[in-house]
Amino acid sequence: MNEIYRKLLECRDCVRQKTDFVPKVAIVLGSGLGDYADGIKVECEVPYGDIKGFPVSTVPGHAGRFLFGYIDNVPVVCMKGRVHYYEGYPVNDVVLPARLMHLLGAKILFLTNAAGGVNTSFHAGDLMLIRDHIAIFAPNPLIGPNIDELGTRFPDMSAVYDRALQEIIRNAARANGIFLQEGVYTQLTGPSFESPADIRALRALGTDAVGMSTVVEAIAAKHAGMRVCGVSCICNLAAGMTDAPLTHEEVQEAADRAAPNFKRLVTESVKMMADL
Ligand code: HPA
């Protein structure tokens, strides 16, 4: 059996020894959304450290565990904290959690992240519905022997972000008076922030927001047949767009400020996914 798949099954068995909860929606919480748990009726928590072989994050603010529970009547699993490629994990470990949530039963993957705004009409604090992504600067998580148990060798990526889910998120934003930008998210490896020339290049390529996560998870999830959606919190304008240098603290603070709207958008969107 494929080694990556074997490890995935071991992780699944580990979680299944602790809970038989079957989630419908899997939610990945990005920077600043760490205390989102308030909105969930939690049934069970599984710290990542309790799952043999599971990648555990080293980034401040990313301490990790799975929360299983309900948002309204929708069974969800929520990842409090994720690992990033720049931490040094192989990309198949970075996408292991998304694949694991798929094996636990989740049909929908809701990705969130903190991002830099590249589109000149964006402002710090805006939320952005991800319509599509640029993956060409990120490591492809499907390199290596194909895991046939999960999906096909050459999966189609022409509609990674599910149209019906996008419409739900738009409607949830509208119904709750939440302003929502839309656009293309590009994942770079990080961990250094971009140079102003990087940002000009990314803008010329059609990038609206830039960050260091999400795309690899979206590709792995799409490969495995999940329906994917995502929202970015624009925490700062990207390098060179203002005079201020970028710091992780600034990103975290901006995410904290945007958190109430971000949380509400996620909650209200997930509620509307009950009938899917
Ligand atoms: N660049 C990359 N990643 C980010 C940024 C940024 O400006 N802000 C938050 N995450």
Side-chain angles (χ1 to χ4, degrees):
M1 187 192 291
N2 180 297
E3 271 315 304
I4 294 168
Y5 192 62
R6 185 195 307 278
K7 183 169 169 183
L8 201 53
L9 293 182
E10 270 174 25
C11 287
R12 183 196 60 186
D13 294 346
C14 228
V15 173
R16 281 291 170 240
Q17 280 165 18
K18 295 175 191 295
T19 179
D20 56 6
F21 194 94
V22 177
K24 172 172 183 167
V25 181
I27 305 168
V28 181
L29 301 176
S31 304
L33 274 182
D35 65 345
Y36 176 72
D38 327 346
I40 303 178
K41 186 150 69 67
V42 178
E43 300 268 308
C44 175
E45 297 193 16
V46 180
Y48 299 154
D50 288 2
I51 306 169
K52 188 169 164 282
F54 195 92
V56 178
S57 176
T58 58
V59 188
H62 281 273
R65 57 204 147 101
F66 282 119
L67 305 175
F68 294 90
Y70 293 90
I71 292 178
D72 217 28
N73 292 320
V74 183
V76 301
V77 56
C78 196
M79 281 189 75
K80 220 179 141 160
R82 57 145 69 91
V83 294
H84 299 81
Y85 184 62
Y86 60 72
E87 293 176 71
Y89 293 99
V91 66
N92 47 274
D93 272 350
V94 177
V95 301
L96 181 148
R99 286 171 163 164
L100 176 57
M101 295 189 290
H102 162 70
L103 289 187
L104 293 172
K107 304 283 182 247
I108 294 171
L109 180 63
F110 196 145
L111 295 162
T112 70
N113 60 51
V118 175
N119 185 315
T120 53
S121 69
F122 286 6
H123 299 95
D126 284 352
L127 301 179
M128 186 193 87
L129 174 67
I130 302 176
R131 278 211 292 238
D132 201 353
H133 67 218
I134 293 176
I136 52 185
F137 303 112
N140 194 299
L142 307 182
I143 288 175
N146 185 53
I147 306 175
D148 296 328
E149 292 87 344
L150 294 178
T152 64
R153 173 76 289 189
F154 301 108
D156 175 50
M157 293 288 148
S158 53
V160 176
Y161 300 87
D162 187 274
R163 281 184 185 277
L165 296 178
Q166 287 187 49
E167 199 51 27
I168 282 177
I169 295 170
R170 264 184 215 111
N171 288 337
R174 204 174 296 127
N176 289 279
I178 297 169
F179 181 66
L180 190 61
Q181 303 277 17
E182 300 196 7
V184 172
Y185 176 91
T186 297
Q187 176 175 352
L188 304 184
T189 63
S192 49
F193 285 118
E194 302 72 35
S195 69
D198 288 332
I199 295 303
R200 286 194 298 275
L202 291 173
R203 189 179 300 119
L205 290 177
T207 300
D208 296 294
V210 64
M212 306 175 192
S213 67
T214 301
V215 171
V216 292
E217 291 134 303
I219 290 173
K222 181 71 181 170
H223 173 246
M226 296 179 89
R227 299 177 74 173
V228 179
C229 60
V231 175
S232 293
C233 176
I234 306 299
C235 292
N236 56 278
L237 292 182
M241 294 174 69
T242 67
D243 292 335
L246 300 178
T247 66
H248 180 65
E249 290 68 30
E250 177 202 352
V251 168
Q252 201 103 42
E253 280 166 26
D256 289 346
R257 279 197 302 279
N261 260 353
F262 206 173
K263 283 183 196 175
R264 201 144 55 90
L265 182 60
V266 173
T267 303
E268 297 304 318
S269 300
V270 170
K271 282 185 192 172
M272 292 165 70
M273 292 173 191
D275 300 328
L276 287 181

